[in-house]
């Protein structure tokens, strides 16, 4: 609980420069409620015995539309720029794909340029806007994560295969980086204390 709260707090300050509008207890209550429904909802990424990131997944919001929601995605400052972010993203894909989810969706402050760059580099694109605690948040969505879930005919299959072909080199490079990270003693996933 303390790790989650502190991660939310640090993320808020980094983005907004102040704690004005920060609703830490509300964030924590939401995470606890989601964890009660499904223990996979809040995952703590560990490097050895040291926490390095938090991934929160919402299994209910927009589920009927094939969406895998990510209310909170966070890396500790010292863990950034080492290829670790793709590991958390992979965990979300690995969790949502067997559930038949086709998209990942999250919200990001437009002024959070580091996160925006990471999400765009990894296939997210803006699909809308929603009000946030301070200002407007961009709603970002990652392309179809369940390749076969959309196939209705051969033409669709061919289009999906072309998408895979187009993304192959990028995904191959990301996979190689991820493998190297895992080989350096990262353990995935470990559940945060709740």
């Amino acid at each position: 609980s303390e790790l989650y709260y502190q991660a939310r707090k640090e993320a808020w300050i980094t983005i907004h420069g102040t704690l004005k509008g920060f609703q830490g207890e509300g964030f924590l209550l939401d995470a606890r409620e989601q964890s009660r429904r499904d223990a996979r909802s809040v995952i703590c990424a560990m490097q050895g015995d040291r926490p390095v990131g938090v991934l929160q997944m919402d299994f209910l919001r927009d589920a009927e539309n094939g969406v895998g929601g990510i209310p909170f995605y966070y890396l500790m400052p010292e863990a950034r720029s080492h290829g670790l972010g793709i590991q958390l993203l992979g965990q979300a894909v690995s969790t949502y794909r067997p559930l038949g989810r086709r998209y990942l969706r999250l919200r990001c402050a437009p002024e959070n340029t580091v996160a925006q760059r990471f999400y765009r580099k990894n296939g997210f694109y803006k699909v809308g806007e929603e009000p946030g605690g301070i200002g407007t948040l961009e709603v970002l969505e990652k392309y179809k994560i369940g390749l076969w879930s959309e196939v209705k005919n051969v033409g669709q299959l061919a289009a999906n295969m072309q998408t895979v072909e187009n993304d192959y080199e990028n995904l191959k490079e990301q996979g190689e980086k991820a493998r190297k990270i895992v080989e350096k003693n990262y353990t995935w996933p470990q559940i945060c204390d709740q």
Side-chain angles (χ1 to χ4, degrees), residues 90-105:
Q91 185 63 43
V93 170
S94 295
T95 302
Y96 279 127
R97 184 179 285 147
L99 299 175
R101 306 302 170 86
R102 298 181 313 271
Y103 304 91
L104 293 181
R105 187 178 294 161

Side-chain angles (χ1 to χ4, degrees), residues 120-138:
R120 293 218 182 340
K121 177 182 173 188
N122 288 288
F124 283 85
Y125 54 94
K126 182 178 175 181
V127 295
E129 294 181 346
E130 290 182 1
I134 296 180
T136 301
L137 296 175
E138 291 184 354

Side-chain angles (χ1 to χ4, degrees), residues 1-127:
S1 293
E2 183 63 23
L3 171 67
Y4 179 86
Y5 184 89
Q6 290 304 318
R8 276 285 193 169
K9 185 176 176 181
E10 193 277 328
W12 190 274
I13 291 171
T14 297
I15 295 165
H16 302 294
T18 177
L19 283 175
K20 179 184 176 188
F22 178 67
Q23 298 175 0
E25 292 301 321
F27 292 138
L28 190 55
L29 183 63
D30 180 57
R32 284 181 178 151
E33 180 59 33
Q34 287 179 3
S35 289
R36 274 195 272 289
R37 286 193 303 264
D38 192 315
R40 300 171 297 173
S41 293
V42 181
I43 295 173
C44 183
M46 304 291 290
Q47 180 181 21
D49 61 352
R50 185 174 59 96
V52 293
V54 177
L55 171 66
Q56 181 180 355
M57 295 177 281
D58 185 341
F59 293 101
L60 299 179
R61 185 175 182 171
D62 295 322
E64 69 280 0
N65 297 318
V67 172
I70 302 175
F72 189 52
Y73 186 94
Y74 176 81
L75 284 177
M76 305 293 181
E78 64 276 9
R80 296 175 190 158
S81 299
H82 299 290
L84 186 55
I86 194 68
Q87 291 293 313
L88 281 177
L89 188 58
Q91 185 63 43
V93 170
S94 295
T95 302
Y96 279 127
R97 184 179 285 147
L99 299 175
R101 306 302 170 86
R102 298 181 313 271
Y103 304 91
L104 293 181
R105 187 178 294 161
L106 53 81
R107 285 127 191 91
C108 185
E111 59 271 16
N112 189 347
T113 56
V114 173
Q116 287 278 351
R117 187 171 46 252
F118 170 79
Y119 294 135
R120 293 218 182 340
K121 177 182 173 188
N122 288 288
F124 283 85
Y125 54 94
K126 182 178 175 181
V127 295

